[in-house]
Structures are given as structure tokens and as C-alpha cells.
Amino acid sequence: MFFSGDPTTRKRVDLGGRSSKERDRQKLLEQTRLERNRRLYLRRQNHAAIKIQKCFRGKKAMEIEHSKVREQFFATYGRHIQNVNRQCFGPQSAFFRQLFFFFNARNVSDISVLVETCRLMKHFVQESGDVVGLFAGIDYSSKRALVDFRVKKFAFTCIQAVHQNRKELKDQLFVTPEESNTPPTLLLEAVVLLIDSRLPWTCKVVSYLLERNVFTLLRELIVTGKESMEIHSSYGRISSLERVLTLIIPHIGQKPCICPNIDP
């Protein structure tokens, strides 16, 4: 065949290395991938928004329930728990169940109730000399699980309350019980009373405290209150904070104690 002089009859060569069909296929795959990623991103965003909304609604609902139970508690026991007697500490009473449900360590009214509860406990124990009987009644063995749980929760709540308000209470953290009945002293002395080594639940309570990093809380209390130690130093006397530490430390790695061996 001879060349006719018409350039359009020459064979065209695609220097791109791929046919147009191949390019169209790659473009379609890329668009599909981008669209799939976009849908995945939107799905995740929607899922995250639903989860946030659910958590927010749950928190608001819980706050409403806390407020309801708090008002029921005050209606029954009084805003200064003036209607509380020693039976309220027993296993049949709803006093501690309601208090632990709504208690907020940053709420002034809740702190006041907890401090007055500690004051009443100290008074009732001084009258009868029987801590176990105050919480369990006449038969501790049949109500052991409930009583132990309440005592554990009570002890931890007292320490947590002092810790959460440590900056406001820093000048009172090393006050001895002989010097004053300040809120931190009453709260920590309640813990001292509850973890006395002669009580049947002591190891369980201390284990509960250790599992909740009580040494970290106590260490931060010491660091916060160390500046006021010289102000309140009393030779021959031990602060309530030191008394708590003195009772907890012997449980670490000692037999027959069942407490976990945690390095303080």
C-alpha cells in the first residue's frame, strides 16, 4: 500500500500507555472508593452524635433522679438530718441507700449531711460502745453482705469527700480530734472508727479502699495540707489523717490479712 498524502490515514499511537476504557474504569473505581469513604465517615459521625446525645440524656436523667431522691431524703430525715435516730443506721433503713445514691462531694448540702451523719455515728457508738450493732442490729451474720457493703461505701465516701474539697479544707487537714470537730476531722474519724482492727469487716473495708487507690487520695491530702502542718502541730498528738494511715498500712502484705499487697 502506498502513502496517499492524507495524514488522517496514519495509525494513531496512544502514548498514555492505557486505553480510554481503562482510564474510565480507574476513574470509576476511584469515585466509588471516595463515595464509600464519605458514606463511612457520615455513618461514623452520625453514630458518634447519637452516642453523645444518649450520654447527655442519660446524665440529665440521672441528675433528675438524684434530685428527686435527695428531696425525698430531706423530706424524711430533715435537711439537717434532725429526724435521724440510731435505727436509721440499721440494715432495714433506706437512709444510707438514698444518701449514697444522690451524694455529690462537691455539693455543700450533701457534705453537710455526711458530716452530721459522722457526728451522729460517733455519738451513738459512744453511747452503746457497739459499732457492729449500730449497723447490723442483733444479727450481723445474716445481714453480713449488706452491712459490709454499706460500711465500705461509707468509709470511702468520707475519704472522697475530704479529698474532693481538699483545697478548701487545706488548713484543717492536720487538725487533731482533740483540737477541733472540723468537717475533715469528723469525716476521717468516722473512717478510723469503721476500720478498727477489732471489727469483723475491717479487712474487707480496707481492701475496698485499696482497690480505689486510697493511698493516692491520702497522698494528695498530705501534699495539700503540708503547709499548715506547722500551724497545727501538736506534740504528742496525731491528726485524724495520720490515724487513718496508721490503721491502713498494717494491712499491706500481713498475714492472715486478706487485703491486696499494694505498695503505698
Side-chain angles (χ1 to χ4, degrees), residues 46-222:
N46 186 54
H47 180 71
I50 292 174
K51 182 177 291 188
I52 292 172
Q53 291 172 0
K54 184 177 180 180
C55 292
F56 179 77
R57 288 194 297 267
K59 183 178 180 180
K60 294 296 293 184
M62 184 61 71
E63 290 176 353
I64 293 173
E65 289 302 313
H66 286 170
S67 297
K68 288 181 179 179
V69 174
R70 183 181 285 109
E71 290 305 314
Q72 293 173 3
F73 179 90
F74 288 148
T76 303
Y77 303 106
R79 291 197 172 272
H80 303 287
I81 60 173
Q82 64 271 19
N83 302 329
V84 171
N85 54 34
R86 63 181 302 111
Q87 281 70 40
C88 295
F89 285 76
Q92 304 302 326
S93 174
F95 177 79
F96 279 110
R97 175 173 58 80
Q98 292 182 338
L99 176 59
F100 294 151
F101 177 75
F102 70 76
F103 181 80
N104 180 350
R106 303 300 297 178
N107 185 299
V108 176
S109 297
D110 293 356
I111 290 291
S112 177
V113 167
L114 185 64
V115 170
E116 288 304 312
T117 301
C118 293
R119 193 192 305 275
L120 284 174
M121 180 184 69
K122 180 180 178 181
H123 172 70
F124 293 144
V125 172
Q126 286 176 342
E127 281 189 337
S128 64
D130 184 8
V131 183
V132 177
L134 179 64
F135 286 92
I138 59 175
D139 187 9
Y140 168 65
S141 60
S142 64
K143 302 176 179 67
R144 181 186 298 268
L146 174 61
V147 173
D148 288 354
F149 172 78
R150 287 185 174 179
V151 172
K152 290 187 293 187
K153 189 75 173 177
F154 190 15
F156 179 72
T157 301
C158 289
I159 295 176
Q160 186 183 44
V162 179
H163 178 265
Q164 288 289 317
N165 298 277
R166 62 190 182 279
K167 293 183 179 179
E168 296 81 358
L169 302 172
K170 63 180 181 179
D171 293 332
Q172 305 173 25
L173 294 178
F174 283 96
V175 175
T176 66
E178 295 84 2
E179 291 176 309
S180 174
N181 281 331
T182 59
T185 301
L186 287 168
L187 292 169
L188 294 173
E189 282 299 309
V191 179
V192 170
L193 198 61
L194 294 173
I195 60 175
D196 188 294
S197 59
R198 295 167 293 183
L199 298 175
W201 56 58
T202 304
C203 281
K204 293 181 181 179
V205 175
V206 174
S207 295
Y208 184 85
L209 297 177
L210 293 175
E211 290 169 359
R212 280 148 186 80
N213 301 317
V214 69
F215 281 123
T216 299
L217 303 183
L218 295 175
R219 185 182 299 113
E220 291 177 356
L221 288 178
I222 293 171

